[in-house]
Amino acid sequence: MRSPPRIMQASPAIDRRGLLLGVLALLTAAALPGAVHAAQPDDIHFDVHLAGSKVGHHSLSFAPGPDVGQMTVMVDIRIRVRLFFVTVFDYTQTTEEIWQGDRLVRFTSTTLDGDNRDEVTAVQGADGLEVTSLRFGNRTLPADTWPSTAFWRQDAVQRNTFLDAARGDIRKVAITELDLEFIDALEKRHLARRYHADTSRDFDVWYGPDGSWLKLQWSGYGMTADYRR
């Protein structure tokens, strides 16, 4: 008795064109803004010194945002200056920033300056950055507006207007690039680029060759504060 003929199962041919298109699609998706999480900076902590004494801190932490490609930045600032057991300066600010690349998606802040309390919220809307603050009410700013807390990014020095993180109004800033200089940060010497910002409270800011924020110094309220990382 003859065996039934064997039916050979042919292996499916590889669709080279389809494979190539699939690879290209993956590469393109990875290159699109928001397709993957951007490189996340390291957390930053500064001790704030006044006249040689530590009077507070300025800390930033970075985490993935609520949506793909977003980043959340939490800022915590606490400065208290006492003179002969009397508090002469008491400042606290907490903020949350959500970024999509170089676009601020959402922002909230609470600031206590002595007995004064300010709150600011901002969210991207159809017409721009929609801002609400206790001091100035509602307003719409250009969609590419950054908050004044954004100097953890070196490219902030290329701008001349910011959303004031404490008050909710627009802060004009004239920034001048200064010379390279050696500074102490993170327990070693660094060659850093210095910038001076001329605004309501002048400050100088230093960045390392990789763009990392290494130092800040500001003057106001009749005093000068040094941020030491």
Side-chain angles (χ1 to χ4, degrees):
M1 184 174 179
R2 297 179 61 185
S3 300
R6 297 176 60 191
I7 300 175
M8 303 296 294
Q9 297 288 336
S11 299
I14 297 176
D15 184 348
R16 294 183 179 179
R17 182 174 180 274
L19 178 61
L20 178 59
L21 290 175
V23 172
L24 288 175
L26 288 173
L27 292 175
T28 302
L32 289 174
V36 294
H37 287 287
Q40 184 175 300
D42 293 332
D43 291 351
I44 297 172
H45 180 85
F46 290 101
D47 288 333
V48 180
H49 289 255
L50 180 68
S53 298
K54 180 181 174 181
V55 295
H57 69 262
H58 183 135
S59 299
L60 301 93
S61 60
F62 303 86
D67 294 328
V68 174
Q70 293 183 346
M71 180 173 64
T72 299
V73 185
M74 304 294 295
V75 181
D76 179 63
I77 304 171
R78 299 178 188 274
I79 302 173
R80 176 176 289 178
V81 180
R82 296 173 62 85
L83 183 63
F84 300 114
F85 306 104
V86 176
T87 299
V88 296
F89 181 78
D90 194 1
Y91 186 91
T92 300
Q93 183 179 85
T94 56
T95 74
E96 181 184 63
E97 309 167 14
I98 297 178
W99 293 81
Q100 184 94 37
D102 62 356
R103 179 64 57 92
L104 181 68
V105 176
R106 191 162 69 245
F107 175 86
T108 61
S109 73
T110 300
T111 304
L112 299 175
D113 187 354
D115 295 328
N116 298 320
R117 179 185 179 93
D118 281 293
E119 295 180 0
V120 180
T121 63
V123 63
Q124 286 291 345
D127 299 321
L129 190 67
E130 298 175 355
V131 180
T132 301
S133 63
L134 291 180
R135 194 177 297 223
F136 294 99
N138 301 329
R139 62 175 61 190
T140 300
L141 301 177
D144 62 351
T145 302
W146 286 5
S148 56
T149 51
F151 280 89
W152 55 269
R153 311 176 53 126
Q154 186 176 7
D155 48 355
V157 301
Q158 301 170 8
R159 294 171 169 260
N160 54 26
T161 59
F162 294 86
L163 168 66
D164 190 296
R167 297 160 48 97
D169 58 341
I170 283 291
R171 180 187 292 191
K172 298 288 187 180
V173 183
I175 298 176
T176 304
E177 181 176 340
L178 303 177
D179 292 336
L180 287 166
E181 58 184 68
F182 284 100
I183 64 169
D184 293 320
L186 298 171
E187 300 182 343
K188 62 182 181 180
R189 296 284 281 174
H190 298 264
L191 183 63
R193 173 67 67 184
R194 182 177 184 175
Y195 297 85
H196 176 73
D198 184 2
T199 181
S200 57
R201 188 170 66 211
D202 289 359
F203 63 90
D204 286 40
V205 61
W206 288 257
Y207 298 96
D210 62 350
S212 58
W213 184 16
L214 296 177
K215 182 180 176 181
L216 179 108
Q217 183 182 83
W218 60 257
S219 299
Y221 308 103
M223 58 186 181
T224 298
D226 289 308
Y227 283 44
R228 302 177 185 176
R229 186 171 176 185

